[in-house]
């Protein structure tokens, strides 16, 4: 039904599945030529359509996905180099440079910042909750949230 | 606006839906004692808009009978909490459907714009429109 009403849907569908392929295989070495081939597009046509939908080239998009995954992993205690290679970057220097360009901080500075936020949230959760909601829930300054920490 | 609440039946399931399916970012996830959690998420392009995924439960906020009524109403799709916008509705529709999001109305050209309707994992419904 959608295909009949919107003939362009067929093209979009192939681009979306290429995007989902990047979402799931970001940690591998992905050759964008192969993705274009699998989506039955010429490389030029594929890049043009991908950018029209997502506002980025497939390569730029893959970098964004890797950085986002790196941000998730950096919230744990995994080392910077482990994060770098597990999200698909080939070298620490390129990872650090791209991360800083995207996030504004180096991976280690960002990891430290997130760790502090996490600790502050656990230590004083009420600082992160609008008071009206906290009161409605019965969460007051006198509450003891210690059970929640363990 | 910087905070808005969506009432959900289960916060773990809502996390899976809003973060892993819709692609929202977690803003705050704070344990507040046994069985209680303050969980807010943001659309990726609106990091200052916190959407509180508020579990419906009896206690300070709702009486037991009210909580039961609210749960039934949410499950039955009574509440439409908002409108989301995307750059390309057909592409977003295909992606979300592939991820298992349930649409109650496919992309349709209406006099007011191009829109689809989908439900979250609790039963709340939303309009998904395309930026002009």
């Amino acid at each position: 039904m959608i295909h009949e009403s919107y003939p362009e849907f067929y093209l979009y569908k192939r681009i979306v599945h290429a995007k989902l392929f990047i979402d799931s295989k970001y940690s591998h070495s992905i050759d964008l030529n192969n993705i274009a081939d699998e989506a039955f597009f010429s490389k030029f046509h594929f890049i043009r359509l991908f950018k029209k939908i997502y506002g980025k080239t497939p390569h730029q998009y893959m970098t964004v996905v890797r950085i986002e995954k790196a941000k998730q992993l950096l919230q744990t205690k995994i080392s910077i180099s482990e994060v770098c290679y597990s999200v698909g970057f080939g070298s620490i220097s390129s990872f650090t440079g791209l991360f800083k360009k995207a996030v504004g901080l180096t991976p280690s500075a960002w990891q430290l910042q997130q760790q502090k936020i996490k600790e502050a949230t656990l230590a004083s959760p009420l600082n992160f909750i609008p008071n009206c909601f906290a009161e409605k829930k019965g969460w007051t300054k006198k509450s003891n949230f210690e059970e929640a920490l363990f | 606006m910087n905070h808005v609440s969506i009432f959900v039946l289960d916060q773990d399931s809502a996390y899976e839906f809003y973060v892993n399916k819709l692609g929202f970012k977690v803003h705050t996830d704070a344990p507040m004692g046994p069985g209680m959690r303050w969980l807010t998420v943001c659309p990726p392009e609106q990091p200052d808009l916190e959407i509180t995924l508020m579990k419906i439960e009896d206690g300070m906020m709702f009486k037991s009978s009210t909580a039961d009524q609210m749960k039934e109403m949410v499950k039955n799709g009574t509440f439409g909490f908002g409108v989301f916008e995307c750059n390309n509705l057909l592409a977003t529709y295909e992606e979300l459907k592939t991820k298992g999001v349930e649409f109650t109305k496919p992309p349709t050209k209406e006099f007011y714009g191009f829109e689809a309707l989908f439900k979250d994992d609790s039963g709340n419904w939303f309009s998904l429109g395309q930026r002009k």
Side-chain angles (χ1 to χ4, degrees), chain A residues 27-112:
Chain A
S27 61
H28 297 70
S29 173
I30 299 177
D31 182 347
L32 294 176
N33 284 315
N34 291 347
I35 301 177
D37 287 347
E38 281 193 28
F40 304 108
F41 286 120
S42 71
K43 188 178 170 187
F44 173 77
H45 193 41
F46 171 61
I47 291 173
R48 195 181 62 80
L49 268 177
F50 194 100
K51 189 166 182 184
K52 186 181 167 196
I53 295 174
Y54 296 111
K56 297 174 182 68
T57 65
H59 185 74
Q60 288 168 337
Y61 177 73
M62 188 166 64
T63 302
V64 169
V65 171
R66 286 176 171 169
I67 298 285
E68 287 302 316
K69 296 292 173 186
K71 283 164 76 177
Q72 284 175 16
L73 291 176
L74 287 168
Q75 301 208 25
T76 63
K77 294 197 172 167
I78 300 177
S79 72
I80 306 294
S81 62
E82 239 180 299
V83 171
C84 164
Y85 297 116
S86 64
V87 299
F89 287 107
S91 76
I92 306 271
S93 59
S94 68
F95 170 51
T96 304
L98 288 166
F99 190 95
K100 189 168 182 188
K101 193 176 166 195
V103 180
L105 293 170
T106 62
S108 52
W110 195 83
Q111 189 175 40
L112 191 64

